[in-house]
Amino acid sequence: MTDLRDDFPILKNKIYGQRLVYLDNAATSQKPSSVIDSISDFYKYDNSNIHRGVHYLSELSSDLYEEARKKVSTFIGSSDPSEITFTAGTTDSINQVAFSLKSTLMGNEVLISGMEHHSNIVPWQLAGAKIKTIPMDEDCNLLLDSMEITDKTKLIAISHVSNVLGTVNDIKRITEIAADHDIPVLVDAAQSIQHLPLDVEKIGCDFLAASGHKMYASSGIGILYTNNRYSDIMPARGGGGMIDKVTFEGSTYLSPPLRYEAGTPNISGAISVGAAIDYMQNIGLDKIREHEHDVYSYAKERLLDTDGITVYGNNEDMCGSISFNIENIHHYDLGLILDKMGIAVRTGHHCAQPLMELLGTEGTVRASFALYNTKEDIDILMDGIEKARMMFS
Amino acid sequence: MSDHIQDEIIEQFQGLEWLEKYELLISFARELEPMHEQFMTEEYAISGCQSKVWIRTHIENGKLIIHLDSEAMITKGIIYLLMKVMNNRSPQEIVDLDLYFIEETGLKSNLSPARADGLASIIKRIREVAEMEIN
Ligand SMILES: Cc1ncc(COP(=O)(O)O)c(C=O)c1O
């Protein structure tokens, strides 16, 4: 799979005169040429507003946009494209659900894990809900048997894969428990949609949120899956494109998904998501999974072999991100030094301050992988870490 | 306006590769007089820095004395230089001071507001303290 690097123009660039080792994929992924072309082709040949005009281009762009929606729907295992709304990103998707469910959530509780991104914490607080967490063991694995559901629990909102630890949470079991209590489940798939096969119908979740930019597509575009059971919840935004009839006395809305897409959406962004899905499917999701698993296992093995290292979280099923600290080296120093060797990692709290508190650290160094990363990248990272250790010895 | 402390620093960094610059900063960091732990609290912290930075200042004989510390070594090395350049000047001198060594040593890329390092926030805080002393 080494040749996949060639599909990504930015990876050919030299950083400080060295090969770019991009290990900040959980923040955002790089884009293959086919995705970049889908955006520029849209503006060169197809651009027009959608669902509005009768003219040729308007129909063309509407078709492309709706085709992208169908691709997303199939990709995540929904049998009905009207369950897919295009949003601005995971954060936006979650905020929209929080707004729509506000009257239910206000004064009640949302159950989340201790490893959530701020984007899956703050929207619930803004909706007036109290946050409760599912207990974790010392390896940061959820203790689902000790999960406490009360009369006040109105939603379970959980990341599929942790953006800090890479832990894959057992969503299926959570939805089963939730179903016994008739509580909806929102899955934050920001860190899983690009790594694992997703099947919302098998998982049995009610909402699922993801970001285009983390799955090889453009930024400013996101996905929200809303199960048809919830097709009549309040739209979070009002305006053009989502209404059936407007009068000063009141308005009626179109059916989903258009009801949830007020205003002109990010058309080229949606098309780029479709192109990214095509790109991944052409390689083969199983092949991607297998390759990423190899690289991840190799990284973990090499890191665990390092003196004075703490690797956070431990689970049989992990992917995407791996977080660590090296004794006597501040994460920020390590990040700066690796940067100058052309290695891009992220340092800090990774928008998960409550998790940092649980881990007893101010921040970590996080390496996160995409389909174009190789064992060679890991070797370069390990050499970089060794070099940094010498500088601090 | 040039000053010899800054010129000397620029000379030390002349022709160094990035990692050599960091090595030099780490060696400066080791010389930094540590702040007493009791002051490493929110009260003395400068926000906007990814590595925590603490600041204490006082006036001695009309000069502003600045003491900075951080938990990260590279940040410590940079604040060591800042202290070297800015300390023992009157508040007015500090407000007027052109910190040209930051650009000329190439450390400026650590200064940009986008950097979580927040060197810019440190300098801003020092200038604010100096301005308060003037008024
Ligand atoms: C688990 C998780 N949830 C939510 C988000 C927010 O995504 P976005 O910034 O694209 O809205 C991220 C991004 O880092 C994430 O990793």
Side-chain angles (χ1 to χ4, degrees):
Chain A
M1 301 256 295
T2 28
D3 48 354
L4 289 181
R5 264 182 86 87
D6 297 341
D7 295 342
F8 293 78
I10 204 170
L11 298 179
K12 296 195 182 82
N13 297 347
K14 296 261 188 259
I15 303 293
Y16 307 109
Q18 296 159 91
R19 168 196 164 109
L20 168 59
V21 176
Y22 186 76
L23 299 174
D24 193 19
N25 294 286
T28 202
S29 66
Q30 301 301 349
K31 322 301 171 198
S33 295
S34 61
V35 166
I36 298 169
D37 291 347
S38 77
I39 299 166
S40 75
D41 283 354
F42 172 73
Y43 287 114
K44 278 189 206 155
Y45 309 114
D46 314 319
N47 177 50
S48 174
N49 210 331
I50 55 166
H51 305 315
R52 306 257 204 292
V54 292
H55 57 80
Y56 176 84
L57 281 180
S58 178
E59 250 178 59
L60 183 58
S61 59
S62 304
D63 285 351
L64 290 170
Y65 184 79
E66 291 307 325
E67 206 178 293
R69 193 195 306 280
K70 278 196 202 112
K71 282 180 193 169
V72 171
S73 137
T74 314
F75 191 63
I76 66 169
S78 148
S79 50
D80 181 357
S82 73
E83 291 179 317
I84 307 300
T85 307
F86 283 117
T87 64
T90 306
T91 307
D92 186 37
S93 296
I94 297 177
N95 274 281
Q96 289 200 32
V97 175
F99 183 93
S100 297
L101 301 182
K102 196 167 177 170
S103 59
T104 316
L105 298 179
M106 181 78 76
N108 283 308
E109 294 169 3
V110 174
L111 189 57
I112 66 171
S113 81
M115 62 179 91
E116 296 307 316
H117 188 280
H118 297 162
S119 292
N120 194 23
I121 303 173
V122 184
W124 313 121
Q125 292 171 331
L126 284 172
K130 227 177 135 163
I131 298 294
K132 293 281 169 176
T133 56
I134 302 169
M136 293 197 292
D137 66 15
E138 64 272 22
D139 284 333
C140 295
N141 295 319
L142 298 183
L143 297 167
L144 295 180
D145 293 332
S146 318
M147 179 160 110
E148 241 183 276
I149 293 177
T150 70
D151 289 349
K152 295 204 138 226
T153 314
K154 296 298 172 197
L155 178 76
I156 300 175
I158 189 93
S159 51
H160 191 183
V161 174
S162 158
N163 70 311
V164 177
L165 311 164
T167 305
V168 181
N169 291 317
D170 188 351
I171 301 293
K172 178 84 181 107
R173 258 204 73 206
I174 294 173
T175 58
E176 281 165 8
I177 299 169
D180 288 342
H181 295 80
D182 207 16
I183 297 166
V185 176
L186 175 140
V187 175
D188 175 348
Q191 300 296 346
S192 61
I193 195 166
Q194 66 281 53
H195 299 301
L196 306 174
L198 279 183
D199 189 329
V200 284
E201 286 177 8
K202 249 197 220 146
I203 293 171
C205 62
D206 300 273
F207 303 96
L208 180 136
S211 298
H213 70 97
K214 294 181 199 285
M215 55 181 291
Y216 311 107
S218 155
S219 48
I221 185 77
I223 295 165
L224 173 60
Y225 160 82
T226 304
N227 186 287
N228 276 335
R229 271 193 297 274
Y230 290 87
S231 60
D232 58 353
I233 54 174
M234 264 278 276
R237 307 183 203 297
M242 53 78 76
I243 48 85
D244 173 34
K245 188 168 170 54
V246 177
T247 67
F248 291 133
E249 285 68 47
S251 305
T252 52
Y253 316 122
L254 294 174
S255 329
L258 296 187
R259 150 187 303 201
Y260 302 117
E261 293 177 354
T264 301
N266 182 352
I267 306 167
S268 63
I271 289 168
S272 80
V273 170
I277 289 173
D278 289 343
Y279 177 75
M280 287 188 274
Q281 282 177 332
N282 283 339
I283 298 168
L285 293 182
D286 290 341
K287 250 173 101 180
I288 294 173
R289 173 93 178 108
E290 195 182 318
H291 169 74
E292 289 188 347
H293 182 75
D294 274 359
V295 173
Y296 192 96
S297 308
Y298 181 67
K300 188 162 177 181
E301 188 185 313
R302 297 259 351 235
L303 283 168
L304 284 172
D305 245 2
T306 308
D307 284 340
I309 197 165
T310 308
V311 176
Y312 299 98
N314 188 26
N315 187 291
E316 269 168 35
D317 202 2
M318 298 182 94
C319 70
S321 300
I322 188 160
S323 260
F324 58 94
N325 268 314
I326 309 261
E327 205 175 18
N328 299 326
I329 307 183
H330 193 272
H331 51 84
Y332 178 68
D333 286 329
L334 187 52
L336 278 181
I337 289 168
L338 292 175
D339 166 58
K340 296 304 184 294
M341 298 185 220
I343 306 163
V345 293
R346 182 143 296 223
T347 63
H349 57 61
H350 317 293
C351 295
Q353 286 175 353
L355 176 61
M356 293 302 125
E357 202 171 326
L358 290 171
L359 298 175
T361 179
E362 289 285 333
T364 71
V365 181
R366 178 186 73 187
S368 56
F369 313 111
L371 54 82
Y372 40 71
N373 290 118
T374 59
K375 289 184 182 173
E376 189 190 348
D377 288 338
I378 308 302
D379 289 337
I380 297 172
L381 169 70
M382 296 314 299
D383 289 349
I385 292 173
E386 205 40 51
K387 173 104 200 196
R389 279 156 57 89
M390 308 235 296
M391 287 170 70
F392 283 96
S393 65
Chain B
M1 207 184 65
S2 76
D3 77 63
H4 73 277
I5 303 178
Q6 294 198 57
D7 293 343
E8 215 171 86
I9 295 170
I10 293 163
E11 201 169 310
Q12 280 180 294
F13 278 85
Q14 205 92 59
L16 297 188
E17 300 274 339
W18 264 110
L19 289 183
E20 293 167 336
K21 285 181 189 176
Y22 283 161
E23 265 163 346
L24 190 55
L25 288 171
I26 292 166
S27 72
F28 293 149
R30 296 200 162 111
E31 288 175 39
L32 189 79
E33 187 194 329
M35 193 176 282
H36 202 287
E37 261 186 38
Q38 79 189 84
F39 301 116
M40 293 178 163
T41 59
E42 276 307 305
E43 189 186 344
Y44 296 101
I46 300 179
S47 61
C49 309
Q50 197 185 99
S51 53
K52 280 195 177 152
V53 175
W54 300 275
I55 180 168
R56 293 187 71 221
T57 56
H58 67 275
I59 294 279
E60 212 173 282
N61 301 326
K63 311 274 193 196
L64 187 67
I65 309 293
I66 306 155
H67 192 189
L68 294 158
D69 202 351
S70 170
E71 48 184 12
M73 291 297 268
I74 292 170
T75 312
K76 261 194 205 183
I78 295 175
I79 61 187
Y80 170 90
L81 295 176
L82 275 182
M83 283 165 58
K84 194 164 165 174
V85 171
M86 296 177 100
N87 255 335
N88 278 310
R89 296 178 188 260
S90 72
Q92 188 62 51
E93 277 180 281
I94 286 179
V95 171
D96 295 339
L97 191 61
D98 172 17
L99 294 168
Y100 61 89
F101 83 97
I102 294 171
E103 168 121 38
E104 292 190 27
T105 48
L107 296 175
K108 191 172 163 67
S109 65
N110 283 60
L111 182 79
S112 81
R115 277 269 175 183
D117 174 51
L119 184 49
S121 343
I122 302 171
I123 294 168
K124 187 161 160 253
R125 171 64 91 69
I126 295 172
R127 292 210 163 114
E128 279 166 7
V129 172
E131 267 164 16
M132 258 165 44
E133 290 296 340
I134 295 168
N135 297 324

